[in-house]
Amino acid sequence: MNYKLLYFASLCDAAGCSEEAVSSAACDVRSLYAEIAARHGFSFTPEHLRVAVNGAFTDWEQRLANNDEVVFLPPVSGG
Amino acid sequence: MNYKLLYFASLCDAAGCSEEAVSSAACDVRSLYAEIAARHGFSFTPEHLRVAVNGAFTDWEQRLANNDEVVFLPPVSGG
Amino acid sequence: MEAFGISATPIAVDALRRELESAGAGAVVCFEGRVRDHNDGRAVDGLTYQAYVELAKAEGACIVAEARARFSVERIVCVHRVGDLALGEVAVWTGVSAGHRGAAFDACRYVIDEVKARVPIWKREHYVEGAPEWLHPAAR
Amino acid sequence: MEAFGISATPIAVDALRRELESAGAGAVVCFEGRVRDHNDGRAVDGLTYQAYVELAKAEGACIVAEARARFSVERIVCVHRVGDLALGEVAVWTGVSAGHRGAAFDACRYVIDEVKARVPIWKREHYVEGAPEWLHPAAR
């Protein structure tokens, strides 16, 4: 399936891009992160991240649909 | 002895003046208030008031000196 | 400028806020008390504040010193208005700057709570209907 | 205007404060988060904030709605800055008006605490010495 991924803050630095289109056999959020984290060398484990699909927070067991926008969110530091 | 009294808020309304010079035999704050409250018909008892002498809060047993400035302060309502 | 002031003219909020600026201040908390159009169910159309100015300034300065001792703050400014105020006017303004927001919130709250409880200032409410009244809340 | 906003240009504090004015508002509490010259013992000379704007706006609006449900307030406005900020610039501004000061303080504190904890915005600190770093505090 095809996904659009957005990267922010240190994940953007680690990925070397702010977004990318990926083609993957992963069909849930957790599997997709495992694949992406391995490829980019992300040091965060899922316990340290939140995840959003199509602009809304969701959980790691969320099933994905073709063309979903998926974002792994490192710990926030606004304010 | 001679005292200068200042009146604020409802005590000013009740006394009909914002300050007055009084000549009194009272030589402590509590006695002076009893005399003044009777004359002006003040409804507050000492428990409801604070008292200041020469610009500083004090207590009801404070002895007075000639020419002291004495102020009986009704409950405050700033802010 | 004094940390606590009494003003017979409208409070210059912007100038006071600029006094709080400091390179180490990551947090600024400001409180404004304004004249509301109602109180205790009655329609209000203005207030008069009267102060025992000499003692009010001393007690206000004491409260600011207490807040400085209790909380880790950079600057504290508080000004209370006296005289006749229209609806919406600022009756009291308190601003605190600090390294972190917890201290700024706590110190600002402390100062306004203590000012309202202790500083010799009195409010006379003017009502849309009926005679004005001095408020002496603790005597209720 | 939205109750929660993201701004790529300097936050117009005076205009935001005017939005809080209301005839029933006896209390206005404002919080400003500013860029400090130090953090965790290091000299800082600027910040960059990045936001996942779509989700940040939705989460910020949710926080404001929660504050409205919990506290008796009139108006709430919160704006967070993104982009490059110099020392002293306002990074986040939150203002609340209410009938009484307790609700205004509590709601303002709630909004800024939740915004800092939940809204997808990230801070990159630029140091006087050394490379800049993204802050991810919960991962410490």
Side-chain angles (χ1 to χ4, degrees):
Chain A
M1 289 201 286
N2 298 309
Y3 304 118
K4 179 182 174 188
L5 274 69
L6 306 183
Y7 299 114
F8 293 97
S10 64
L11 290 189
C12 178
D13 290 354
C17 62
S18 61
E19 63 177 87
E20 64 178 350
V22 303
S23 196
S24 167
C27 52
D28 64 72
V29 168
R30 190 179 297 276
S31 308
L32 180 62
Y33 182 71
E35 182 183 312
I36 297 295
R39 177 155 61 84
H40 288 307
F42 291 166
S43 58
F44 291 110
T45 60
E47 293 70 48
H48 294 122
L49 301 174
R50 298 184 74 185
V51 61
V53 173
N54 299 328
F57 288 118
T58 186
D59 61 65
W60 291 88
E61 316 319 321
Q62 168 87 40
R63 305 284 298 176
L64 292 170
N66 198 35
N67 298 318
D68 274 353
E69 177 181 285
V70 183
V71 188
F72 303 108
L73 301 150
V76 301
S77 52
Chain B
M1 290 200 288
N2 297 309
Y3 304 119
K4 179 182 174 189
L5 275 69
L6 307 183
Y7 298 113
F8 294 97
S10 64
L11 290 189
C12 177
D13 290 355
C17 62
S18 60
E19 63 177 86
E20 64 178 350
V22 303
S23 195
S24 167
C27 53
D28 64 71
V29 167
R30 190 180 296 278
S31 308
L32 179 62
Y33 182 71
E35 181 183 312
I36 298 295
R39 177 155 61 86
H40 288 308
F42 290 167
S43 57
F44 290 110
T45 61
E47 294 70 48
H48 293 122
L49 301 175
R50 298 184 75 187
V51 62
V53 173
N54 299 328
F57 288 118
T58 187
D59 62 63
W60 291 88
E61 316 318 321
Q62 168 85 41
R63 305 284 297 176
L64 293 170
N66 197 35
N67 297 319
D68 274 352
E69 178 182 284
V70 183
V71 189
F72 303 108
L73 301 151
V76 301
S77 51
Chain C
M1 128 130 218
E2 300 291 327
F4 182 87
I6 298 287
S7 175
T9 56
I11 296 175
V13 169
D14 292 339
L16 294 177
R17 206 181 51 204
R18 280 192 296 273
E19 290 191 29
L20 299 177
E21 291 176 14
S22 128
V28 176
V29 173
C30 301
F31 170 80
E32 280 178 25
R34 290 168 169 272
V35 181
R36 275 185 304 163
D37 63 0
H38 64 279
N39 190 33
D40 271 344
R42 295 187 69 176
V44 169
D45 69 2
L47 297 180
T48 303
Y49 283 100
Q50 188 181 65
Y52 178 12
V53 174
E54 178 187 7
L55 185 53
K57 284 178 160 179
E59 190 71 357
C62 181
I63 289 167
V64 169
E66 290 165 12
R68 297 194 69 83
R70 282 169 189 243
F71 307 105
S72 180
V73 299
E74 301 256 333
R75 298 187 188 165
I76 300 178
V77 174
C78 181
V79 176
H80 202 297
R81 181 75 189 280
V82 291
D84 296 320
L85 280 73
L87 295 185
E89 278 200 86
V90 176
V92 58
W93 190 91
T94 303
V96 176
S97 59
H100 297 283
R101 71 188 185 287
F105 272 104
D106 292 346
C108 189
R109 184 78 194 259
Y110 181 84
V111 169
I112 186 62
D113 284 355
E114 295 298 308
V115 164
K116 288 178 73 98
R118 292 161 49 187
V119 173
I121 297 175
W122 298 271
K123 179 191 314 197
R124 185 176 177 86
E125 283 185 343
H126 300 268
Y127 305 105
V128 173
E129 294 183 35
E133 282 180 18
W134 288 105
L135 300 191
H136 293 308
R140 274 177 195 165
Chain D
M1 126 132 221
E2 299 291 328
F4 182 87
I6 298 287
S7 175
T9 55
I11 295 174
V13 168
D14 292 338
L16 294 177
R17 206 181 51 205
R18 280 192 294 276
E19 291 191 29
L20 299 177
E21 291 176 13
S22 126
V28 176
V29 173
C30 301
F31 170 81
E32 280 178 25
R34 290 168 170 272
V35 182
R36 276 184 305 163
D37 63 0
H38 64 280
N39 189 33
D40 271 345
R42 295 187 69 177
V44 169
D45 69 2
L47 297 180
T48 303
Y49 283 101
Q50 188 181 65
Y52 178 11
V53 174
E54 178 187 8
L55 184 53
K57 284 179 159 178
E59 190 72 355
C62 181
I63 290 166
V64 170
E66 289 166 12
R68 297 195 68 83
R70 283 169 189 244
F71 307 104
S72 180
V73 299
E74 300 257 333
R75 298 187 190 165
I76 300 179
V77 174
C78 182
V79 175
H80 201 297
R81 181 75 189 281
V82 290
D84 297 321
L85 280 73
L87 295 185
E89 279 200 85
V90 177
V92 58
W93 190 91
T94 303
V96 177
S97 59
H100 298 282
R101 72 190 185 285
F105 272 104
D106 292 347
C108 189
R109 184 79 195 258
Y110 180 84
V111 169
I112 185 61
D113 284 355
E114 296 297 308
V115 164
K116 288 177 75 98
R118 291 161 50 186
V119 173
I121 297 175
W122 298 271
K123 179 190 315 198
R124 185 176 177 83
E125 284 185 343
H126 301 267
Y127 305 105
V128 172
E129 295 184 36
E133 282 180 19
W134 288 106
L135 301 192
H136 295 306
R140 273 176 195 165

